[in-house]
Amino acid sequence: MAIRGQKALGLVGATALSALIIIGAAWAAGALTDRDSPPAPDFDAQIWLNSPPLRIAELRGKVVLVDFWEYTCINCVRTFPYLKRWHQLYGPLGLVVIGVHTPEFEFGKDPARVADAAKRFGFTFPIAVDSDARIWRAYNNDAWPSKYLIDKDGRIVINHLGEGGYAEFERHIQELLKQANPKLDFAPPKFAIAQDYTGTGAICQRPTPEIYLGSARGDRIANDGGYRAMTTATYREPNDIPADRFALAGNWIATPEFVQHAAKSSAMTDFVALNYRAKSLYLVAGSAGAKPARLYVTQDGKPVPQSARGVDAKNGRDGRTYIELAGKRMYYVANNPGFEEHVLRLYPGTPGVSLYSFTFGNECENAFEHK
């Protein structure tokens, strides 16, 4: 994912690139040194969740984990079980977890939506609502998810980009806590660090890359002539949609961030078709209306079987598969039995449905709550 044209990390499950940077520090005899580690910037946020405003100076003597996340980012969501573990396990020992929510899409700037997402994911640690990306820029951050470890003296010593590397990161947490309080003992079994999840398959196959549907970043559209941006247009589905590409059919408006269904009725003749390769498929979508809107789904021209449906996909009495769009967020569309290739079609049941992006997972996704 990327924000305002900045660098993106295409990270998917256990096959993802995972970069851990020890900033101005070195491992020596199992200990971190803080030589040349930069001081952590303060949190310039007007709105906080689960906490009054926090300042770095007030946190001296503690270890601080700053996590940049975004509530529609599947790569972030897959890290949440680890964030919650560290908060619960090490919080009483001096670790302060601070989530910084910097939005990718315009709708994510709404603090009420961020608060709803934090509640849905079960976050109890402090969250700075960074809708204007001030904290993002202060940390010179360039991707989601991204984690920073700040030592007892208020200096950044670790920056971890992307998913994975959880065991190594937890070892760094323990080491920094020991520096802050040498009396700590991490021998009890509850502090045993589990190996990173790698899935049950021998091979973690590479799924379709993230696909943006808006015209600003939608470089995988398969329609002849591409987008007709910022105008109501009628699109014709091409005879063939190559793998890892999508196409529009029927009446749509292509905006920089999303495509919006523009038909005046719900004749079920307009759709988005996607040729994807993955085990799981996630969709960022929403509706312009106040009432929930249905988005009908087929896979290979048929209703999605129960064995392949994500938690947000349901079958109605008429046998059709649908997703109830009740707010702008990420929806779990498909969870196939294995890594497979399919053609998925999405049919808006009403005008005004907006589709933002598709993301995917492979056989090596770690276990996480689908909320």
Side-chain angles (χ1 to χ4, degrees):
M1 294 188 168
I3 185 168
R4 296 176 179 83
Q6 297 187 18
K7 179 182 174 185
L9 292 182
L11 307 175
V12 184
T15 62
L17 272 175
S18 176
L20 185 142
I21 304 167
I22 300 177
I23 301 173
W27 280 99
L32 277 171
T33 64
D34 61 9
R35 183 182 68 254
D36 300 326
S37 299
D42 243 321
F43 306 108
D44 187 5
Q46 299 298 313
I47 298 175
W48 285 76
L49 306 175
N50 303 330
S51 171
L54 297 174
R55 298 182 62 83
I56 290 295
E58 299 168 348
L59 300 172
R60 291 290 178 91
K62 296 182 178 294
V63 176
V64 181
L65 192 172
V66 178
D67 176 69
F68 284 90
W69 66 289
E70 209 276 348
Y71 81 81
T72 70
C73 166
I74 185 58
N75 307 104
C76 300
V77 173
R78 288 192 287 245
T79 70
F80 292 169
Y82 300 94
L83 279 177
K84 292 163 75 172
R85 165 185 163 83
W86 298 332
H87 170 62
Q88 293 166 4
L89 188 60
Y90 299 109
L93 304 182
L95 176 71
V96 179
V97 176
I98 298 176
V100 177
H101 183 275
T102 310
E104 178 169 20
F105 301 109
E106 282 295 316
F107 65 77
K109 294 180 179 181
D110 183 350
R113 289 191 169 114
V114 180
D116 177 72
K119 182 178 180 180
R120 182 156 38 90
F121 291 122
F123 292 162
T124 57
F125 49 79
I127 295 172
V129 180
D130 187 36
S131 295
D132 53 8
R134 290 186 183 181
I135 304 174
W136 176 285
R137 290 192 295 269
Y139 277 75
N140 197 29
N141 194 51
D142 60 6
W144 302 274
S146 187
K147 297 173 178 57
Y148 296 81
L149 272 179
I150 300 168
D151 69 8
K152 61 183 176 59
D153 299 316
R155 294 185 173 274
I156 300 174
V157 293
I158 297 290
N159 174 212
H160 186 277
L161 304 178
E163 302 177 58
Y166 305 112
E168 184 178 9
F169 196 82
E170 188 166 339
R171 281 193 288 272
H172 291 319
I173 291 173
Q174 291 184 355
E175 182 64 33
L176 288 173
L177 287 172
K178 285 281 288 184
Q179 285 189 8
N181 182 2
K183 296 181 180 180
L184 288 177
D185 179 13
F186 293 113
K190 67 178 181 180
F191 296 115
I193 300 173
Q195 294 299 310
D196 284 6
Y197 180 85
T198 57
T200 56
I203 299 175
C204 299
Q205 301 183 72
R206 184 175 294 277
T208 294
E210 181 169 12
I211 292 178
Y212 292 99
L213 299 174
S215 60
R217 291 180 286 179
D219 58 355
R220 291 183 177 271
I221 187 169
N223 294 88
D224 292 339
Y227 292 102
R228 280 161 276 175
M230 297 306 297
T231 186
T232 300
T234 301
Y235 293 84
R236 169 183 268 180
E237 182 185 19
N239 293 330
D240 178 61
I241 302 175
D244 305 334
R245 304 282 294 276
F246 78 96
L248 301 173
N251 298 299
W252 296 88
I253 298 174
T255 78
E257 280 199 343
F258 57 86
V259 293
Q260 185 175 78
H261 184 219
K264 296 181 180 179
S265 65
S266 54
M268 299 295 292
T269 57
D270 304 339
F271 57 87
V272 172
L274 169 71
N275 187 344
Y276 79 97
R277 296 176 289 187
K279 183 182 188 297
S280 52
L281 183 154
Y282 311 96
L283 168 71
V284 178
S287 174
K291 295 181 179 180
R294 284 198 174 184
L295 182 65
Y296 291 92
V297 185
T298 66
Q299 188 151 275
D300 304 325
K302 302 176 182 179
V304 183
Q306 184 174 358
S307 61
R309 293 201 299 263
V311 296
D312 289 311
K314 299 174 173 52
N315 264 25
R317 292 181 179 180
D318 58 3
R320 291 189 295 176
T321 306
Y322 68 92
I323 297 168
E324 198 90 320
L325 301 180
K328 293 182 178 180
R329 64 175 180 87
M330 184 180 66
Y331 293 87
Y332 300 82
V333 181
N335 185 24
N336 297 296
F339 190 96
E340 301 167 1
E341 181 171 354
H342 296 285
V343 174
L344 187 98
R345 286 183 173 83
L346 302 174
Y347 299 83
T350 60
V353 166
S354 299
L355 309 178
Y356 290 79
S357 68
F358 293 109
T359 47
F360 308 90
N362 60 13
E363 313 94 312
C364 299
E365 284 188 307
N366 57 281
F368 64 96
E369 292 181 295
H370 289 201
K371 293 185 176 180

